[in-house]
């Protein structure tokens, strides 16, 4: 009866006009107050202020000044910025239609997480902690999707070993940290069905290497193929699509009229975003119970202020237990103090409560 009444209401031209107007403005789904370490940020900008960011004319100094104008100073060294978060348009559509219970939240307006990594670390230097899920999408997929589960579980068990083995194979002349970063980016791209040679397009192939037919023997004797791992991701995308059913298929067709592959991939993205949101909410709830203030959000991760004398590893374990319970599968949370070497001369922070 309620559905019929809603349908009658939505057929009204007046109701449709109101809805069209309302949807021109994103709904704010969350607000947090983010504390900026002003002295550390200015210290960082001494030698970097003229560097351009974002592909336009804005400099790092200009971006910082814009953010600080939006913030309120709560003490001599702290500017507090109110950050508002919204869903993407598709995320909002899926949520309001009841296809997902939550989605990824994006900051509207200034936010230090829109800056280059070192610059945002300077803004939060020595006064904030980051808590992120390790290999979030791969763990979600292994828990939810039978397609490719075996190779994904092998990847999760031996992730660092796999990064080292295949990184050395593809870029033997690079430093270990560079190889790991490239392999992480490559496997993250594979999670979203990137082509087998995405690593070559992004990072080059000076040694003319390939992943085709290449397997590595891991420490427990298991043979692992990155080629097989990449192919398995397409199977997981198809499985999620067929499990969704006709109502979702019709809904997604509005976004991509002609390209069903894009519809399937987009749906996979929002399924994974819903799962990461579950873990994020659990971490935030644990922090609230522990009296720890959340200052920023980033995909599955959160940024907090003072831990009240706790160690970051202790807090990460508490969040990990809460997130694993909420999600129904193992979530691994890592936590660390946010630090920027270029801002170290700014001195110790004054915690703002």
């Amino acid at each position: 009866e309620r559905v019929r009444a809603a349908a009658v209401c939505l057929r009204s031209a007046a109701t449709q006009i109101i809805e069209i107007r309302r949807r021109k403005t994103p709904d704010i789904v969350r607000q947090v107050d983010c504390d900026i370490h002003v002295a550390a940020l200015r210290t960082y900008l001494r030698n970097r202020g003229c560097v351009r960011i974002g592909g336009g004319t804005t400099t790092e100094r200009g971006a910082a000044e814009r953010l600080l104008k939006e913030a309120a100073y709560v003490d001599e060294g702290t500017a507090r910025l109110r950050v508002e978060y919204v869903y993407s348009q598709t995320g909002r559509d899926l949520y309001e239609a009841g296809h997902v219970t939550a989605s990824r939240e994006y900051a509207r307006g200034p936010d230090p997480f829109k800056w280059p990594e070192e610059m945002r670390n300077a803004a939060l230097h020595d006064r904030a902690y980051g808590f992120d899920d390790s290999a979030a999408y791969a763990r979600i997929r292994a828990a939810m999707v039978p397609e490719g589960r075996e190779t994904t579980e092998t990847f999760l068990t031996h992730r660092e070993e796999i990064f080292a083995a295949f990184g050395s194979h593809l870029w033997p002349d690079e430093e270990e940290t560079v190889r790991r970063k490239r392999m992480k980016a490559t496997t993250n791209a594979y999670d979203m069905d990137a082509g087998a040679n995405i690593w070559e397009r992004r990072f080059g192939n000076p040694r003319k290497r390939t992943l085709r037919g290449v397997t590595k023997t891991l420490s427990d004797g298991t043979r692992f193929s990155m080629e097989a791992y990449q192919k398995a991701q397409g199977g997981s995308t198809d499985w999620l699509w067929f499990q969704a059913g006709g109502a979702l298929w019709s809904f997604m067709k509005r976004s991509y009229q002609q390209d069903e592959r894009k519809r399937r991939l987009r749906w996979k993205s929002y399924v994974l975003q819903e799962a990461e949101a579950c873990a994020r909410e659990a971490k935030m709830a644990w922090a609230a119970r522990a009296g720890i203030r959340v200052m920023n959000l980033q995909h599955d991760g959160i940024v907090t202020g003072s831990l009240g004398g706790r160690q970051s590893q202790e807090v990460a374990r508490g969040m990990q237990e809460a997130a694993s319970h909420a999600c129904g599968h193992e979530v691994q949370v890592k936590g660390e103090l946010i630090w920027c070497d270029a801002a170290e001369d700014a001195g110790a922070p004054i915690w703002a409560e």
Side-chain angles (χ1 to χ4, degrees):
E1 190 64 34
R2 293 176 62 188
V3 173
R4 292 192 186 95
V8 171
C9 180
L10 290 172
R11 280 198 292 268
S12 162
T15 301
Q16 292 175 15
I17 291 171
I18 292 171
E19 178 67 9
I20 290 170
R21 289 174 177 170
R22 184 181 73 84
R23 292 182 65 80
K24 289 182 179 179
T25 302
D27 287 341
I28 306 301
V29 297
R30 194 185 312 277
Q31 296 178 331
V32 299
D33 290 328
C34 183
D35 288 352
I36 307 300
H37 190 331
V38 179
L41 181 57
R42 296 199 185 283
T43 298
Y44 166 84
L45 290 171
R46 286 174 187 168
N47 299 317
R48 298 275 304 176
C50 295
V51 176
R52 293 183 180 181
I53 59 175
T57 60
T58 301
T59 63
E60 290 190 348
R61 187 178 303 280
E65 294 302 333
R66 180 192 172 205
L67 182 147
L68 291 174
K69 286 180 181 178
E70 298 286 335
Y73 282 79
V74 294
D75 60 41
E76 183 179 353
T78 304
R80 181 165 291 172
L81 175 72
R82 173 66 56 87
V83 184
E84 298 178 335
Y85 294 89
V86 300
Y87 290 153
S88 69
Q89 188 62 60
T90 300
R92 178 180 175 181
D93 289 346
L94 289 167
Y95 174 75
E96 292 185 350
H99 291 296
V100 298
T101 58
S103 191
R104 182 170 292 175
E105 299 175 19
Y106 297 90
R108 188 178 73 159
D111 174 25
F113 272 86
K114 294 181 180 180
W115 296 344
E117 183 178 6
E118 189 177 20
M119 183 179 176
R120 72 168 179 257
N121 286 350
L124 302 171
H125 172 71
D126 202 19
R127 66 169 53 197
Y129 293 81
F131 295 93
D132 297 302
D133 297 351
S134 174
Y137 275 10
R139 293 187 194 282
I140 293 166
R141 200 175 56 250
M144 294 175 61
V145 183
E147 293 291 331
R149 179 173 288 157
E150 183 177 354
T151 187
T152 299
E153 289 178 341
T154 299
F155 170 77
L156 290 169
T157 301
H158 300 278
R159 186 166 175 250
E160 293 301 325
E161 188 178 355
I162 289 168
F163 283 169
F166 285 93
S168 297
H169 168 72
L170 294 176
W171 305 287
D173 302 320
E174 299 291 349
E175 295 181 358
E176 182 181 354
T177 54
V178 173
R179 296 197 298 263
R180 185 193 182 280
K181 189 173 184 179
R182 290 181 178 184
M183 286 306 305
K184 181 180 178 181
T186 297
T187 54
N188 285 346
Y190 286 165
D191 286 342
M192 296 310 299
D193 294 16
N197 291 329
I198 185 67
W199 59 272
E200 186 173 14
R201 295 199 301 273
R202 287 188 178 180
F203 307 116
N205 187 12
R207 291 294 193 96
K208 306 302 179 185
R209 298 295 172 87
T210 182
L211 291 177
R212 291 191 186 91
V214 176
T215 60
K216 298 291 183 180
T217 302
L218 305 176
S219 56
D220 64 352
T222 302
R223 302 280 292 175
F224 185 84
S225 163
M226 191 60 70
E227 180 184 20
Y229 180 82
Q230 182 268 333
K231 290 179 178 178
Q233 309 322 309
S236 70
T237 302
D238 293 339
W239 187 90
L240 288 168
W241 178 255
F242 288 120
Q243 293 299 310
L248 186 280
W249 300 344
S250 298
F251 185 92
M252 295 299 290
K253 192 171 183 178
R254 296 184 308 173
S255 298
Y256 293 104
Q257 292 285 335
Q258 306 299 326
D259 195 329
E260 182 170 312
R261 190 67 203 170
K262 286 184 177 180
R263 294 199 293 271
R264 295 185 183 195
L265 185 57
R266 173 163 281 205
W267 172 238
K268 175 183 181 178
S269 172
Y270 282 94
V271 170
L272 296 174
Q273 287 182 35
E274 180 185 36
E276 78 175 11
C278 180
R280 183 178 64 240
E281 291 288 347
K283 290 194 287 290
M284 294 180 69
W286 189 95
R289 292 193 297 270
I292 297 172
R293 188 161 64 88
V294 175
M295 301 201 307
N296 210 294
L297 313 178
Q298 186 65 11
H299 303 339
D300 58 82
I302 65 173
V303 173
T304 75
S306 170
L307 302 183
R310 301 176 181 86
Q311 296 296 313
S312 60
Q313 295 88 342
E314 173 192 353
V315 172
R317 285 194 297 271
M319 291 183 180
Q320 178 171 302
E321 183 177 343
S324 297
H325 177 76
C327 294
H329 65 84
E330 182 188 22
V331 177
Q332 289 194 4
V333 179
K334 55 183 180 179
E336 61 183 1
L337 177 69
I338 295 177
W339 186 269
C340 176
D341 289 339
E344 189 172 358
D345 292 341
I350 302 173
W351 288 102
E353 300 296 343

